[in-house]
Amino acid sequence: MKLLNLILFAVGLVFSLPVLSAGETPPFKVVSGCQASDYVFAESPAAIEISGFKFIPKCLKVKAGATVTLSANLSHPSQGIQSSDGPENPFFHPSGEVTSDVTVVLEKLGIFGYFCVNHGSSSGAGMAGAVLVE
């Protein structure tokens, strides 16, 4: 009987999770210091350039299916912030930092953070930014 109650409890949890309708976005969260009002919309293909010790734009918004290039070089190696509760971050490289431009097609909705390994951090301090895909 305990097993049956546990199964019914677990099934109840599954059905109590919020379900998003088509076109509905998940609750907003701050990534790499980017607030909802900070995002700059760009058409595809979009580019995030390095200017001094900043990524320009820091907070980029694109539509799903957009191609985005994140600049990186030996002085400013990049790394994506590993996602813990959403789609896998296409800018994250398990083998380590990247020292050349990375171009990705962003199919999944979400917010994908990145940072300069030498001048930023995964917390969003310093040279860091995010891409919001809607």
Side-chain angles (χ1 to χ4, degrees):
M1 188 65 167
K2 287 183 182 180
L3 180 60
L4 178 60
N5 286 339
L6 182 60
I7 292 170
L8 291 174
F9 177 74
V11 169
L13 286 178
V14 171
F15 289 114
S16 69
L17 294 174
V19 176
L20 300 176
S21 303
E24 189 177 8
T25 57
F28 183 82
K29 67 179 181 178
V30 174
V31 174
S32 294
C34 294
Q35 303 286 334
S37 60
D38 296 335
Y39 285 91
V40 176
F41 180 77
E43 295 287 339
S44 181
I48 302 165
E49 302 289 334
I50 296 169
S51 178
F53 293 97
K54 295 180 182 178
F55 286 110
I56 305 293
K58 174 181 176 75
C59 310
L60 175 69
K61 182 189 319 183
V62 295
K63 296 219 178 272
T67 300
V68 175
T69 300
L70 173 62
S71 293
N73 56 43
L74 289 172
S75 297
H76 300 290
S78 71
Q79 177 58 284
I81 299 170
Q82 191 169 15
S83 177
S84 61
D85 63 343
E88 185 175 319
N89 186 338
F91 297 111
F92 176 75
H93 302 281
S95 60
E97 61 196 47
V98 175
T99 57
S100 60
D101 295 356
V102 175
T103 300
V104 296
V105 177
L106 298 168
E107 298 289 346
K108 299 200 176 180
L109 303 182
I111 302 173
F112 306 104
Y114 56 86
F115 62 99
C116 170
V117 174
N118 293 340
H119 307 106
S121 75
S122 61
S123 68
M127 194 172 173
V131 178
L132 167 63
V133 181
E134 60 179 12

